[in-house]
């Protein structure tokens, strides 16, 4: 396939339109629909791995589109009624198939590469941590589009009907939906009795990935290898169907995709904990004295160090030997729905925590004190409002000597609710002898750090349960 032939093929095929549809719909989705890919440390323009995973997640609907557009391309000779003419020419069928598949592969891969480039330009401006661990995620994503389009072309050539493209598109979409919602999920129950689902090995045959919930999480190498095997089998079947001339040859052409699926399932991890794994290099700590963040957030260390050291000083003055001695970004990734794990001597925080994310300047010290006193016991991946926030407000007021709102509680109604709940407890606590105040605070911290009781009830003098 020379450049001239490829140029002609691009002019007279739907390949350029396929690339345009993939690129424009993907950019429209990312920029026009507000979602979790816009904010926090997992925003699609915040970190390299997050960018790669968010763009891969769009394959949930881009891949079915690629399959359908490929099928439309595969019908071209049938629509033009020149199939017999082409088979009578001396040029081998594989050459024509390579030209047809190559044009679409180039445009789809280029469209996806441009999408990644748009994100990459913004990531460069938002992070100081650069690595290449995200590249296999994007490469496999581009390969999914190419393999899907080639498979669609082969199916369109083998089943020359106007119904083939929409039927294949809908079938591919149903496949990705089932892999994401039911067939590709395994139900699990956490130690606290909370039921959730996790992706199983079969779901990894789907092009889509899970929603990005932690900046340190990436796909394992075995996932990349297994999916690549599956995709080469898919592309080989599509190409074989393009050149097959008899029903027997078309049946034999199904062998690569079936073999690829079987081999891929042997390589893909069976344990969900080996599918999405922590990027150890990204999780390494960068420290300024007792204040540490992961490499992904090293650009924020300078702004955090001063308020962090001040928070440690104030906590030591209030708690003495019971105070935490260091501050560290929480790099532990727990299963969704599990109970958080906290340390008495290390103040763990997350940049996506509501009060940390909302804190600016001096407010960051107050926010870190709140996390050191009552880190929060909502199950991982869940959000709630109530006792923990009330306990944090009173505890921070006890350390600083004044009762004030926490960062992130900017709503007037929310502030009023917090004040109504916490001011009576604050006054009661301050009226107690210092030793009894400390005893209640210590009991509250024990309940808050172990997540085995209600911190606010304990602070009010109740029994932790």
């Amino acid at each position: 396939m020379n450049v001239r032939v490829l140029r002609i093929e691009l002019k007279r095929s739907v390949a350029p339109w396929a690339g345009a549809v993939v690129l424009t719909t993907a950019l429209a989705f990312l920029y026009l629909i507000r979602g979790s890919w816009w904010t926090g440390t997992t925003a699609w323009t915040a970190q390299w791995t997050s960018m790669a995973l968010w763009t891969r997640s769009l394959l949930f609907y881009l891949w079915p589109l690629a399959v359908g557009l490929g099928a439309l391309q595969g019908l071209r000779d049938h629509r033009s009624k020149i199939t017999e003419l082409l088979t009578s020419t001396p040029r081998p069928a594989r050459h024509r198939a390579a030209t047809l598949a190559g044009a679409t592969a180039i445009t789809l891969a280029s469209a996806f590469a441009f999408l990644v480039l748009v994100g990459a330009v913004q990531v460069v401006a938002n992070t100081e941590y650069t690595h290449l661990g995200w590249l296999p995620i994007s490469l496999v994503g581009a390969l999914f589009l190419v393999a899907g389009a080639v498979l669609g072309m082969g199916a369109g050539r083998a089943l020359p009907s106007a119904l083939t493209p929409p039927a294949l598109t809908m079938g591919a979409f149903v496949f990705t939906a089932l892999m994401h919602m039911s067939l590709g999920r395994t139900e699990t129950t956490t130690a606290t009795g909370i039921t959730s689902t996790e992706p199983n090995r079969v779901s990894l045959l789907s092009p889509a990935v899970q929603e990005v919930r932690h900046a340190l999480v990436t796909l394992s190498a075995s996932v990349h290898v297994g999916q690549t095997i599956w995709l080469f089998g898919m592309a080989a079947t599509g190409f074989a169907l393009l050149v097959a001339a008899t029903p027997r040859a078309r049946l034999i052409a199904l062998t690569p995709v079936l073999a690829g699926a079987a081999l891929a399932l042997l390589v893909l991890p069976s344990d969900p904990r080996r599918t999405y794994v922590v990027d150890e290099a990204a999780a390494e700590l960068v420290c300024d004295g007792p204040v540490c963040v992961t490499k992904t957030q090293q650009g924020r260390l300078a702004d955090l160090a001063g308020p962090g050291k001040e928070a440690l000083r104030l906590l030591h003055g209030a708690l003495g030997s019971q105070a935490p001695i260091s501050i560290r970004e929480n790099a532990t990734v727990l299963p969704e729905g599990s109970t958080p794990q906290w340390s008495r001597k290390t103040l763990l925080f997350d940049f996506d925590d509501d009060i940390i994310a909302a804190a600016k300047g001096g407010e960051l010290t107050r926010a870190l004190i709140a996390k050191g006193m009552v880190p929060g016991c909502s199950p991982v991946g869940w959000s709630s409002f109530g006792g923990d926030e009330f306990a944090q407000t009173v505890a921070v007021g006890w350390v600083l000597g004044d009762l004030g709102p926490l960062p992130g509680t900017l709503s007037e109604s929310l502030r009023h609710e917090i004040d109504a709940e916490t001011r009576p407890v604050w006054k009661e606590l301050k009226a107690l002898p210092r030793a009894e105040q400390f005893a209640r605070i210590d009991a509250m911290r024990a309940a808050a750090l172990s997540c085995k009781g209600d911190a606010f009830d304990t602070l009010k003098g109740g029994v932790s349960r």
Side-chain angles (χ1 to χ4, degrees):
M1 181 175 63
N2 58 44
V3 176
R4 186 178 64 85
V5 173
L6 177 61
R7 190 184 302 117
I8 294 172
E9 185 64 36
L10 288 172
K11 288 181 179 179
R12 66 191 187 99
S13 72
V14 300
W17 293 104
V21 167
V22 166
L23 180 60
T24 55
T25 56
L27 290 175
F29 187 93
L30 289 171
Y31 281 107
L32 300 181
I33 300 177
R34 188 172 184 84
S36 53
W37 51 89
W38 274 24
T39 59
T41 60
T42 58
W44 83 286
T45 57
Q47 298 292 336
W48 291 102
T49 301
S50 299
M51 180 271 295
L53 288 172
W54 277 122
T55 49
R56 265 287 295 275
S57 70
L58 298 180
L59 296 186
F60 182 85
Y61 74 90
L62 291 180
W63 185 71
L65 279 178
V67 173
L69 290 168
L72 184 62
Q73 178 80 324
L75 288 176
R76 186 183 63 187
D77 294 346
H78 176 74
R79 295 197 310 269
S80 303
K81 299 179 180 180
I82 59 172
T83 304
E84 292 184 5
L85 174 63
L86 291 176
T87 55
S88 65
T89 62
R91 189 182 183 194
R94 64 179 182 275
H95 288 182
R96 296 193 302 272
T99 303
L100 183 68
T104 302
I106 290 173
T107 55
L108 287 176
S110 298
F112 193 75
F114 189 80
L115 173 66
V116 171
L117 180 62
V118 171
V121 170
Q122 297 172 85
V123 171
V124 169
N126 291 331
T127 183
E128 295 181 4
Y129 178 59
T130 302
H131 63 103
L132 294 178
W134 61 273
L135 196 55
I137 301 173
S138 294
L139 290 176
V140 173
L143 186 57
F144 257 111
L145 288 176
V146 171
V150 174
L151 181 65
M153 289 180 208
R157 180 68 62 84
L159 302 170
S161 167
L163 297 178
T164 299
L168 282 178
T169 302
M170 184 55 64
F173 182 76
V174 169
F175 172 75
T176 58
L178 289 176
M179 291 298 100
H180 185 72
M181 294 187 299
S182 57
L183 295 181
R185 312 288 294 185
T186 300
E187 188 174 283
T188 59
T189 303
T190 65
T192 56
I194 298 175
T195 301
S196 62
T197 61
E198 295 179 320
N200 58 32
R201 177 163 42 189
V202 176
S203 71
L204 297 176
L205 297 179
S206 167
V209 295
Q210 285 196 120
E211 179 176 320
V212 185
R213 67 179 185 87
H214 203 294
L216 299 179
V217 171
T218 187
L219 288 169
S220 65
S222 57
V223 173
H224 301 320
V225 173
Q227 289 182 336
T228 300
I229 294 172
W230 156 238
L231 292 174
F232 276 126
M234 185 189 300
T237 286
F239 190 82
L241 287 173
L242 275 175
V243 301
T246 64
R248 176 183 173 83
R250 294 188 182 105
L251 284 176
I252 295 174
L254 299 178
T255 302
V257 71
L258 297 176
L263 289 174
L265 290 174
L266 293 176
V267 175
L268 293 169
S270 58
D271 187 349
R273 292 172 297 182
R274 292 172 46 229
T275 300
Y276 292 91
V277 297
V278 174
D279 185 338
E280 298 295 342
E284 288 182 10
L285 296 179
V286 180
C287 300
D288 182 344
V291 181
C292 301
V293 298
T294 61
K295 275 190 174 181
T296 59
Q297 303 297 332
Q298 61 190 15
R300 305 172 74 168
L301 180 58
D303 294 332
L304 181 71
K309 293 173 183 177
E310 178 65 10
L312 288 176
R313 185 187 69 80
L314 292 169
L315 285 169
H316 180 74
L319 299 175
S321 61
Q322 298 297 315
I325 59 176
S326 63
I327 295 177
R328 191 181 77 214
E329 181 186 356
N330 194 358
T332 302
V333 180
L334 298 174
E336 188 168 357
S338 58
T339 302
Q341 298 176 1
W342 305 115
S343 167
R344 183 176 286 272
K345 288 300 181 182
T346 301
L347 192 164
L348 298 173
F349 75 96
D350 192 320
F351 281 109
D352 284 331
D353 184 273
D354 290 341
I355 63 172
I356 297 294
K360 305 295 181 184
E363 288 185 331
L364 191 52
T365 297
R366 179 180 286 268
L368 288 170
I369 292 173
K371 298 302 293 182
M373 298 294 284
V374 184
C377 289
S378 296
V380 175
W382 294 35
S383 61
S384 62
F385 177 82
D388 283 344
E389 287 72 24
F390 300 151
Q392 285 176 339
T393 302
V394 176
V396 173
W398 182 79
V399 173
L400 297 178
D402 69 299
L403 188 68
L406 295 173
T409 55
L410 301 179
S411 165
E412 191 65 32
S413 60
L414 195 58
R415 288 192 177 192
H416 179 74
E417 180 183 353
I418 293 175
D419 188 69
E421 289 285 345
T422 59
R423 191 160 294 279
V425 179
W426 157 258
K427 290 180 178 179
E428 179 186 347
L429 181 65
K430 294 297 288 184
L432 296 173
R434 184 67 182 178
E436 192 168 340
Q437 291 182 31
F438 186 85
R440 284 203 185 183
I441 290 292
D442 190 56
M444 177 208 69
R445 287 194 74 219
L449 293 169
S450 65
C451 290
K452 293 181 179 178
D454 190 303
F456 192 52
D457 282 347
T458 304
L459 188 60
K460 289 189 290 187
V463 178
S464 175
R465 19 177 228 282

